[in-house]
Coordinates of all heavy atoms in Angstrom, one line a residue:
M149 N -2.6 -19.8 -9.7 CA -2.4 -18.4 -9.5 C -1.9 -18.1 -8.0 O -2.3 -18.8 -7.1 CB -3.7 -17.6 -9.6 CG -4.2 -17.6 -11.0 SD -5.6 -16.5 -11.1 CE -4.8 -15.1 -11.7
K150 N -1.1 -17.1 -7.9 CA -0.5 -16.7 -6.6 C -1.1 -15.3 -6.3 O -1.1 -14.4 -7.1 CB 1.0 -16.6 -6.6 CG 1.7 -17.9 -6.7 CD 3.2 -17.6 -6.6 CE 4.0 -18.9 -6.6 NZ 5.4 -18.7 -6.5
F151 N -1.5 -15.2 -5.0 CA -2.0 -13.9 -4.5 C -1.1 -13.5 -3.3 O -0.8 -14.4 -2.5 CB -3.4 -14.0 -4.0 CG -4.4 -14.5 -5.2 CD1 -5.0 -15.7 -5.1 CD2 -4.6 -13.7 -6.3 CE1 -5.9 -16.2 -6.1 CE2 -5.4 -14.1 -7.3 CZ -6.0 -15.4 -7.2
L152 N -1.1 -12.2 -3.1 CA -0.6 -11.7 -1.9 C -1.5 -10.6 -1.4 O -1.9 -9.7 -2.1 CB 0.9 -11.0 -2.1 CG 1.5 -10.4 -0.9 CD1 1.8 -11.4 0.2 CD2 2.8 -9.7 -1.3
Q153 N -2.0 -10.8 -0.1 CA -2.9 -10.0 0.5 C -2.3 -9.3 1.7 O -1.6 -10.0 2.5 CB -4.2 -10.8 1.0 CG -5.2 -9.9 1.6 CD -5.0 -9.8 3.2 OE1 -4.5 -10.7 3.8 NE2 -5.4 -8.7 3.7
F154 N -2.5 -8.0 1.9 CA -2.1 -7.3 3.1 C -3.0 -6.1 3.3 O -3.8 -5.7 2.5 CB -0.6 -6.9 3.0 CG -0.2 -6.0 1.8 CD1 -0.2 -4.6 1.8 CD2 0.3 -6.7 0.6 CE1 0.2 -3.9 0.7 CE2 0.7 -5.9 -0.5 CZ 0.6 -4.5 -0.4
S155 N -2.9 -5.7 4.6 CA -3.8 -4.6 5.0 C -3.1 -3.8 6.2 O -2.2 -4.3 6.6 CB -5.2 -5.2 5.5 OG -5.0 -6.0 6.6
D156 N -3.8 -2.8 6.5 CA -3.4 -2.1 7.8 C -2.0 -1.6 7.7 O -1.3 -1.7 8.8 CB -3.7 -2.8 9.0 CG -5.2 -3.1 9.2 OD1 -5.9 -2.1 9.4 OD2 -5.6 -4.3 8.9
L157 N -1.5 -1.1 6.6 CA -0.1 -0.5 6.6 C -0.1 0.8 7.4 O 0.9 1.1 8.0 CB 0.3 -0.3 5.2 CG 0.6 -1.5 4.3 CD1 0.9 -1.0 2.9 CD2 1.6 -2.3 4.8
H158 N -1.2 1.6 7.3 CA -1.2 2.8 8.1 C 0.0 3.7 7.7 O 0.7 4.2 8.7 CB -1.3 2.6 9.6 CG -2.7 2.0 10.0 ND1 -3.8 2.8 10.2 CD2 -3.0 0.8 10.2 CE1 -4.8 2.0 10.5 NE2 -4.4 0.8 10.5
I159 N 0.3 3.9 6.5 CA 1.3 4.7 6.0 C 1.1 6.1 6.6 O 0.0 6.7 6.4 CB 1.4 4.8 4.5 CG1 1.8 3.3 4.0 CG2 2.4 5.8 4.0 CD1 1.7 3.2 2.5
S160 N 2.1 6.8 7.1 CA 2.0 8.0 7.7 C 3.2 8.9 7.5 O 4.3 8.4 7.3 CB 1.8 7.9 9.2 OG 2.9 7.5 9.9
E161 N 3.0 10.2 7.4 CA 4.1 11.1 7.3 C 5.1 11.0 8.5 O 6.3 11.1 8.4 CB 3.6 12.6 7.2 CG 3.1 13.0 5.9 CD 2.7 14.3 5.8 OE1 1.7 14.8 6.4 OE2 3.5 15.1 5.1
A162 N 4.5 10.8 9.7 CA 5.4 10.7 10.9 C 6.3 9.6 10.9 O 7.4 9.7 11.4 CB 4.5 10.6 12.2
E163 N 5.9 8.5 10.2 CA 6.8 7.3 10.1 C 6.9 6.9 8.6 O 7.0 5.7 8.2 CB 6.2 6.2 10.8 CG 6.1 6.4 12.3 CD 5.6 5.2 13.1 OE1 4.9 4.3 12.5 OE2 5.9 5.1 14.3
K164 N 7.2 7.9 7.8 CA 7.2 7.8 6.3 C 8.3 6.7 5.9 O 8.0 5.8 5.1 CB 7.5 9.1 5.6 CG 7.6 9.0 4.1 CD 7.9 10.4 3.5 CE 8.2 10.2 2.1 NZ 8.6 11.5 1.4
A165 N 9.5 6.9 6.4 CA 10.6 6.0 5.9 C 10.3 4.5 6.3 O 10.4 3.6 5.5 CB 11.9 6.4 6.7
Y166 N 9.8 4.3 7.6 CA 9.5 2.9 8.0 C 8.3 2.4 7.2 O 8.3 1.3 6.8 CB 9.2 2.9 9.5 CG 8.7 1.6 10.0 CD1 9.6 0.6 10.1 CD2 7.3 1.4 10.3 CE1 9.1 -0.6 10.6 CE2 6.9 0.2 10.8 CZ 7.8 -0.8 10.9 OH 7.4 -2.1 11.4
S167 N 7.2 3.3 7.0 CA 6.1 2.9 6.3 C 6.4 2.4 4.8 O 5.9 1.4 4.4 CB 5.1 4.1 6.2 OG 4.6 4.5 7.5
F168 N 7.2 3.2 4.2 CA 7.5 2.8 2.8 C 8.6 1.7 2.7 O 8.6 1.0 1.7 CB 8.1 4.1 2.0 CG 6.9 4.9 1.5 CD1 6.8 6.2 1.9 CD2 5.9 4.4 0.8 CE1 5.8 7.1 1.5 CE2 4.8 5.2 0.4 CZ 4.8 6.5 0.6
Q169 N 9.3 1.5 3.7 CA 10.2 0.4 3.9 C 9.4 -0.9 3.9 O 9.7 -1.9 3.2 CB 11.2 0.4 5.1 CG 12.0 -0.8 5.2 CD 12.9 -0.7 6.5 OE1 12.8 0.2 7.2 NE2 13.5 -1.8 6.8
I170 N 8.4 -1.0 4.7 CA 7.5 -2.2 4.8 C 6.8 -2.4 3.4 O 6.8 -3.5 2.9 CB 6.4 -2.0 5.8 CG1 7.1 -1.8 7.2 CG2 5.4 -3.1 5.8 CD1 7.9 -3.0 7.7
L171 N 6.3 -1.3 2.8 CA 5.7 -1.5 1.4 C 6.7 -1.9 0.4 O 6.4 -2.9 -0.4 CB 5.1 -0.1 1.0 CG 4.4 -0.1 -0.4 CD1 3.3 -1.1 -0.4 CD2 4.0 1.3 -0.8
D172 N 7.9 -1.5 0.4 CA 9.0 -1.9 -0.5 C 9.2 -3.4 -0.3 O 9.4 -4.2 -1.2 CB 10.2 -1.2 -0.3 CG 10.2 0.3 -0.8 OD1 9.3 0.6 -1.7 OD2 11.0 1.1 -0.4
E173 N 9.2 -3.9 1.1 CA 9.4 -5.3 1.3 C 8.3 -6.2 0.7 O 8.6 -7.2 0.1 CB 9.6 -5.5 2.7 CG 10.9 -5.0 3.4 CD 11.0 -5.2 4.9 OE1 10.3 -6.1 5.3 OE2 11.8 -4.4 5.5
L174 N 7.1 -5.7 0.9 CA 5.9 -6.4 0.4 C 6.0 -6.5 -1.2 O 5.8 -7.5 -1.8 CB 4.7 -5.8 0.9 CG 4.3 -5.9 2.4 CD1 3.3 -5.0 2.8 CD2 4.0 -7.4 2.7
L175 N 6.3 -5.3 -1.8 CA 6.5 -5.4 -3.2 C 7.6 -6.2 -3.8 O 7.5 -6.9 -4.8 CB 6.6 -4.0 -3.8 CG 5.3 -3.1 -3.6 CD1 5.7 -1.6 -4.0 CD2 4.2 -3.6 -4.4
N176 N 8.6 -6.3 -3.0 CA 9.8 -7.2 -3.4 C 9.4 -8.7 -3.3 O 9.7 -9.4 -4.1 CB 11.0 -6.9 -2.4 CG 12.2 -7.7 -2.8 OD1 12.5 -7.8 -4.0 ND2 12.8 -8.4 -1.9
I177 N 8.6 -9.0 -2.2 CA 8.1 -10.4 -2.1 C 7.2 -10.7 -3.3 O 7.3 -11.7 -3.9 CB 7.4 -10.6 -0.8 CG1 8.4 -10.5 0.4 CG2 6.6 -11.9 -0.8 CD1 7.8 -10.4 1.8
A178 N 6.3 -9.8 -3.6 CA 5.4 -10.0 -4.7 C 6.1 -10.2 -6.0 O 5.8 -11.1 -6.8 CB 4.4 -8.8 -4.8
N179 N 7.2 -9.4 -6.2 CA 7.9 -9.5 -7.5 C 8.8 -10.8 -7.5 O 8.8 -11.5 -8.5 CB 8.7 -8.3 -7.8 CG 7.9 -7.0 -8.1 OD1 6.7 -7.2 -8.5 ND2 8.4 -5.9 -7.8
T180 N 9.4 -11.1 -6.4 CA 10.3 -12.3 -6.3 C 9.5 -13.6 -6.4 O 9.9 -14.5 -7.1 CB 11.0 -12.2 -4.9 OG1 11.8 -11.1 -4.9 CG2 11.9 -13.5 -4.8
E181 N 8.3 -13.5 -5.8 CA 7.4 -14.8 -5.8 C 6.6 -14.9 -7.1 O 5.7 -15.8 -7.2 CB 6.6 -14.9 -4.6 CG 7.4 -15.0 -3.3 CD 8.2 -16.3 -3.3 OE1 7.6 -17.3 -3.7 OE2 9.3 -16.3 -2.8
S182 N 6.6 -13.8 -7.9 CA 5.8 -13.8 -9.2 C 4.3 -13.9 -8.9 O 3.6 -14.8 -9.5 CB 6.3 -14.8 -10.2 OG 7.7 -14.6 -10.5
V183 N 3.9 -13.2 -7.9 CA 2.4 -13.2 -7.7 C 1.6 -12.6 -8.8 O 2.1 -11.8 -9.5 CB 2.0 -12.6 -6.3 CG1 2.8 -13.2 -5.1 CG2 2.2 -11.1 -6.3
D184 N 0.4 -13.1 -9.0 CA -0.4 -12.7 -10.0 C -1.3 -11.4 -9.6 O -1.7 -10.7 -10.5 CB -1.3 -13.8 -10.5 CG -0.6 -14.9 -11.0 OD1 0.2 -14.8 -12.0 OD2 -0.6 -16.1 -10.5
A185 N -1.6 -11.3 -8.4 CA -2.5 -10.3 -7.9 C -2.1 -9.9 -6.5 O -1.7 -10.7 -5.6 CB -3.9 -10.7 -8.0
L186 N -2.2 -8.6 -6.3 CA -1.9 -8.0 -4.9 C -3.3 -7.5 -4.4 O -4.1 -6.8 -5.1 CB -1.1 -6.8 -4.9 CG 0.4 -7.1 -5.3 CD1 1.2 -5.8 -5.4 CD2 1.1 -8.0 -4.2
F187 N -3.7 -7.8 -3.2 CA -5.0 -7.4 -2.7 C -4.6 -6.5 -1.4 O -4.1 -7.0 -0.4 CB -5.8 -8.5 -2.2 CG -6.4 -9.3 -3.3 CD1 -5.7 -10.5 -3.8 CD2 -7.5 -8.9 -4.0 CE1 -6.2 -11.3 -4.8 CE2 -8.0 -9.7 -5.1 CZ -7.4 -10.9 -5.5
L188 N -4.9 -5.2 -1.6 CA -4.6 -4.3 -0.5 C -6.0 -4.1 0.2 O -6.9 -3.4 -0.4 CB -4.1 -2.9 -1.0 CG -2.7 -2.9 -1.5 CD1 -2.5 -3.7 -2.8 CD2 -2.2 -1.5 -1.7
C189 N -6.1 -4.6 1.4 CA -7.4 -4.7 2.0 C -7.6 -3.6 3.2 O -7.9 -4.0 4.3 CB -7.7 -6.1 2.6 SG -7.6 -7.3 1.2
G190 N -7.4 -2.4 2.8 CA -7.9 -1.3 3.7 C -6.8 -0.8 4.6 O -5.8 -1.5 4.9
D191 N -7.0 0.4 5.0 CA -6.2 1.1 6.0 C -4.8 1.3 5.5 O -3.8 1.1 6.3 CB -6.3 0.6 7.4 CG -7.7 0.7 8.0 OD1 -8.5 1.4 7.5 OD2 -7.9 0.2 9.1
I192 N -4.7 1.6 4.2 CA -3.3 1.8 3.7 C -2.7 3.0 4.2 O -1.5 3.0 4.6 CB -3.4 1.8 2.1 CG1 -4.1 0.6 1.5 CG2 -2.0 2.1 1.5 CD1 -3.4 -0.7 1.9
F193 N -3.4 4.1 4.4 CA -2.9 5.3 5.0 C -3.5 5.5 6.4 O -4.6 4.9 6.7 CB -3.2 6.5 4.2 CG -2.6 6.5 2.8 CD1 -3.1 6.0 1.7 CD2 -1.3 7.0 2.7 CE1 -2.5 5.9 0.5 CE2 -0.6 7.0 1.5 CZ -1.3 6.4 0.4
D194 N -2.8 6.2 7.3 CA -3.3 6.3 8.7 C -4.4 7.3 8.8 O -5.3 7.1 9.5 CB -2.1 6.6 9.6 CG -2.4 6.4 11.0 OD1 -3.0 5.3 11.3 OD2 -2.1 7.2 11.8
T195 N -4.2 8.5 8.1 CA -5.2 9.5 8.1 C -5.4 10.1 6.7 O -4.6 9.8 5.8 CB -4.7 10.7 9.0 OG1 -3.5 11.3 8.5 CG2 -4.4 10.2 10.4
Y196 N -6.4 10.9 6.6 CA -6.7 11.5 5.4 C -5.5 12.5 4.9 O -5.1 12.4 3.7 CB -8.0 12.2 5.3 CG -8.3 12.8 3.9 CD1 -8.8 12.0 2.9 CD2 -8.1 14.2 3.8 CE1 -9.1 12.5 1.7 CE2 -8.4 14.8 2.5 CZ -8.9 13.9 1.4 OH -9.2 14.4 0.2
S197 N -5.0 13.2 5.9 CA -3.9 14.1 5.6 C -2.7 13.3 5.1 O -1.9 13.7 4.3 CB -3.5 15.0 6.7 OG -3.2 14.3 7.9
D198 N -2.5 12.1 5.7 CA -1.3 11.3 5.2 C -1.5 10.8 3.8 O -0.6 10.8 3.0 CB -1.2 10.0 6.1 CG -0.7 10.3 7.5 OD1 0.1 11.2 7.6 OD2 -1.2 9.8 8.4
F199 N -2.8 10.5 3.4 CA -3.2 10.1 2.1 C -2.8 11.3 1.1 O -2.2 11.1 0.1 CB -4.7 9.7 2.0 CG -5.2 9.8 0.6 CD1 -4.9 8.7 -0.2 CD2 -6.1 10.7 0.2 CE1 -5.4 8.7 -1.5 CE2 -6.6 10.7 -1.0 CZ -6.2 9.7 -2.0
V200 N -3.3 12.5 1.5 CA -3.1 13.6 0.6 C -1.5 13.8 0.4 O -1.1 14.1 -0.7 CB -3.8 14.8 1.2 CG1 -3.4 16.1 0.5 CG2 -5.3 14.7 1.2
A201 N -0.8 13.8 1.4 CA 0.6 14.1 1.4 C 1.5 13.0 0.7 O 2.4 13.3 0.1 CB 1.2 14.3 2.9
L202 N 1.1 11.8 0.8 CA 1.9 10.7 0.4 C 1.3 9.8 -0.8 O 2.0 8.9 -1.3 CB 2.2 9.8 1.5 CG 2.9 10.3 2.7 CD1 2.8 9.4 4.0 CD2 4.2 10.9 2.4
R203 N 0.2 10.2 -1.3 CA -0.5 9.3 -2.3 C 0.3 9.2 -3.6 O 0.4 8.2 -4.2 CB -1.9 9.8 -2.6 CG -2.0 11.1 -3.3 CD -3.5 11.5 -3.5 NE -3.5 12.8 -4.2 CZ -4.0 13.8 -3.7 NH1 -4.6 13.8 -2.5 NH2 -4.0 15.0 -4.5
H204 N 1.0 10.3 -4.0 CA 1.8 10.2 -5.3 C 2.9 9.3 -5.2 O 3.2 8.5 -6.1 CB 2.1 11.6 -5.8 CG 1.0 12.5 -6.0 ND1 0.1 12.2 -7.2 CD2 0.4 13.6 -5.5 CE1 -0.8 13.2 -7.2 NE2 -0.7 14.0 -6.1
E205 N 3.6 9.4 -4.0 CA 4.7 8.5 -3.8 C 4.3 7.1 -3.7 O 4.9 6.1 -4.2 CB 5.5 8.9 -2.5 CG 6.8 8.2 -2.4 CD 7.6 8.8 -1.3 OE1 7.3 9.8 -0.7 OE2 8.7 8.2 -0.9
F206 N 3.1 6.8 -3.0 CA 2.6 5.5 -3.0 C 2.3 4.9 -4.3 O 2.6 3.8 -4.6 CB 1.3 5.6 -2.1 CG 0.5 4.3 -2.1 CD1 0.9 3.2 -1.2 CD2 -0.6 4.1 -2.8 CE1 0.2 2.0 -1.2 CE2 -1.3 2.9 -2.8 CZ -0.9 1.9 -2.0
V207 N 1.6 5.7 -5.2 CA 1.2 5.2 -6.5 C 2.5 4.9 -7.4 O 2.5 3.9 -8.0 CB 0.3 6.3 -7.3 CG1 0.2 6.0 -8.7 CG2 -1.0 6.4 -6.6
K208 N 3.5 5.7 -7.2 CA 4.8 5.5 -7.9 C 5.3 4.2 -7.5 O 5.8 3.4 -8.3 CB 5.7 6.7 -7.7 CG 6.9 6.5 -8.5 CD 7.8 7.7 -8.3 CE 9.1 7.6 -9.2 NZ 9.9 8.8 -9.1
K209 N 5.3 3.9 -6.3 CA 5.9 2.6 -5.7 C 5.0 1.4 -6.3 O 5.5 0.4 -6.6 CB 5.9 2.6 -4.3 CG 7.1 3.4 -3.6 CD 7.2 3.3 -2.2 CE 8.3 4.1 -1.7 NZ 9.6 3.5 -2.0
M210 N 3.7 1.6 -6.3 CA 2.8 0.5 -6.7 C 3.0 0.2 -8.2 O 2.7 -0.9 -8.6 CB 1.3 0.9 -6.4 CG 1.0 0.9 -4.9 SD 1.5 -0.5 -3.9 CE 0.6 -1.8 -4.7
E211 N 3.4 1.2 -9.0 CA 3.6 1.0 -10.4 C 4.8 0.0 -10.6 O 4.9 -0.6 -11.7 CB 3.8 2.3 -11.1 CG 2.6 3.2 -11.2 CD 2.9 4.6 -11.8 OE1 4.0 5.0 -11.8 OE2 1.9 5.2 -12.1
S212 N 5.6 -0.3 -9.6 CA 6.7 -1.2 -9.8 C 6.2 -2.6 -9.6 O 7.0 -3.6 -9.8 CB 7.8 -0.8 -8.8 OG 7.4 -1.2 -7.5
A213 N 5.0 -2.8 -9.1 CA 4.5 -4.1 -9.0 C 4.3 -4.8 -10.2 O 3.7 -4.3 -11.2 CB 3.1 -4.0 -8.2
S214 N 4.7 -6.1 -10.3 CA 4.6 -6.9 -11.5 C 3.1 -7.5 -11.6 O 2.8 -8.2 -12.6 CB 5.6 -7.9 -11.7 OG 5.6 -8.8 -10.5
A215 N 2.4 -7.4 -10.5 CA 1.1 -8.1 -10.4 C 0.0 -7.0 -10.6 O 0.2 -5.9 -10.4 CB 0.9 -8.7 -9.0
E216 N -1.2 -7.5 -10.8 CA -2.4 -6.7 -10.9 C -2.7 -6.3 -9.5 O -2.6 -7.1 -8.5 CB -3.5 -7.4 -11.6 CG -4.7 -6.6 -11.9 CD -5.7 -7.2 -12.8 OE1 -5.5 -8.4 -13.2 OE2 -6.7 -6.6 -13.1
V217 N -3.2 -5.1 -9.3 CA -3.4 -4.6 -7.9 C -4.9 -4.3 -7.7 O -5.5 -3.7 -8.5 CB -2.6 -3.2 -7.7 CG1 -2.9 -2.8 -6.2 CG2 -1.1 -3.5 -7.8
F218 N -5.4 -4.9 -6.6 CA -6.8 -4.6 -6.2 C -6.8 -3.9 -4.9 O -6.1 -4.3 -4.0 CB -7.6 -5.9 -6.1 CG -7.7 -6.7 -7.5 CD1 -6.7 -7.6 -7.8 CD2 -8.7 -6.4 -8.4 CE1 -6.7 -8.2 -9.1 CE2 -8.7 -7.1 -9.5 CZ -7.7 -8.0 -9.9
F219 N -7.7 -3.0 -4.7 CA -7.8 -2.2 -3.5 C -9.2 -2.2 -2.9 O -10.1 -2.0 -3.6 CB -7.4 -0.8 -3.8 CG -7.6 0.2 -2.6 CD1 -6.6 0.2 -1.6 CD2 -8.5 1.1 -2.6 CE1 -6.8 1.0 -0.5 CE2 -8.7 2.0 -1.6 CZ -7.8 1.9 -0.5
L220 N -9.2 -2.6 -1.7 CA -10.5 -2.6 -0.9 C -10.4 -1.6 0.2 O -9.5 -1.7 1.0 CB -10.8 -4.0 -0.4 CG -10.9 -5.1 -1.3 CD1 -10.8 -6.5 -0.7 CD2 -12.1 -5.0 -2.2
P221 N -11.2 -0.6 0.2 CA -11.1 0.5 1.2 C -11.4 -0.1 2.6 O -12.3 -1.0 2.8 CB -12.1 1.5 0.8 CG -13.0 0.9 -0.2 CD -12.3 -0.3 -0.7
G222 N -10.7 0.5 3.6 CA -11.1 0.2 5.0 C -11.6 1.4 5.7 O -12.0 2.4 5.0
N223 N -11.8 1.4 6.9 CA -12.4 2.5 7.7 C -11.5 3.7 7.6 O -12.1 4.8 7.7 CB -12.8 2.1 9.1 CG -11.5 1.8 10.0 OD1 -10.7 1.0 9.5 ND2 -11.4 2.5 11.1
H224 N -10.3 3.6 7.5 CA -9.4 4.9 7.4 C -9.6 5.6 6.0 O -9.3 6.7 6.0 CB -7.9 4.5 7.7 CG -7.7 4.3 9.2 ND1 -6.8 5.1 9.9 CD2 -8.2 3.5 10.1 CE1 -6.8 4.8 11.2 NE2 -7.6 3.8 11.3
E225 N -9.9 4.8 5.0 CA -10.0 5.4 3.7 C -11.4 6.2 3.7 O -11.6 7.0 2.8 CB -10.0 4.4 2.6 CG -8.6 3.9 2.2 CD -7.9 3.0 3.1 OE1 -8.6 2.2 3.8 OE2 -6.8 3.1 3.4
G226 N -12.3 5.8 4.5 CA -13.6 6.5 4.6 C -13.6 7.7 5.4 O -14.7 8.2 5.8
L227 N -12.5 8.3 5.8 CA -12.4 9.5 6.6 C -13.0 10.7 5.9 O -13.3 11.7 6.6 CB -11.1 9.7 7.1 CG -10.5 8.7 8.1 CD1 -9.0 8.9 8.4 CD2 -11.3 8.5 9.3
R228 N -12.9 10.8 4.6 CA -13.5 11.9 3.9 C -14.4 11.4 2.8 O -14.2 10.5 2.1 CB -12.4 12.7 3.3 CG -11.6 13.4 4.3 CD -11.8 14.9 4.0 NE -11.2 15.6 5.2 CZ -10.6 16.8 5.1 NH1 -10.5 17.3 4.0 NH2 -10.2 17.3 6.2

């Protein structure tokens, strides 16, 4: 089995284009390398307001992953 683990993306509205570019690169690696599972280990969004504003776009991008996705919350996800 192949796994890809990443954390601390800190996706934000202020750097939305860059944030999603990095996420796209990670998903491309996962798909190209045929990983079986993605482990997102916290701090995916920078702030709660970033989460609220960008979560739908994030979920849409994650749906393109060919692997199973696991999410472990970090301290930034615990803001609310």
Side-chain angles (χ1 to χ4, degrees):
M149 292 189 95
K150 288 184 180 181
F151 304 112
L152 178 62
Q153 178 272 325
F154 53 92
S155 65
D156 297 289
L157 291 177
H158 293 276
I159 295 171
S160 69
E161 284 188 284
E163 295 183 338
K164 179 182 171 183
Y166 176 73
S167 297
F168 281 124
Q169 177 185 352
I170 299 300
L171 180 60
D172 289 340
E173 289 178 26
L174 291 166
L175 291 172
N176 185 47
I177 291 168
N179 291 336
T180 300
E181 296 296 323
S182 301
V183 301
D184 299 299
L186 294 173
F187 293 95
L188 287 70
C189 298
D191 294 350
I192 301 306
F193 294 93
D194 197 45
T195 65
Y196 183 77
S197 62
D198 291 320
F199 163 74
V200 170
L202 301 171
R203 68 179 181 245
H204 295 294
E205 190 170 351
F206 172 79
V207 168
K208 187 174 181 179
K209 287 184 177 289
M210 293 308 298
E211 288 173 345
S212 72
S214 59
E216 193 165 358
V217 177
F218 297 90
F219 175 73
L220 301 167
N223 65 310
H224 281 243
E225 280 77 34
L227 293 175
R228 288 244 169 146

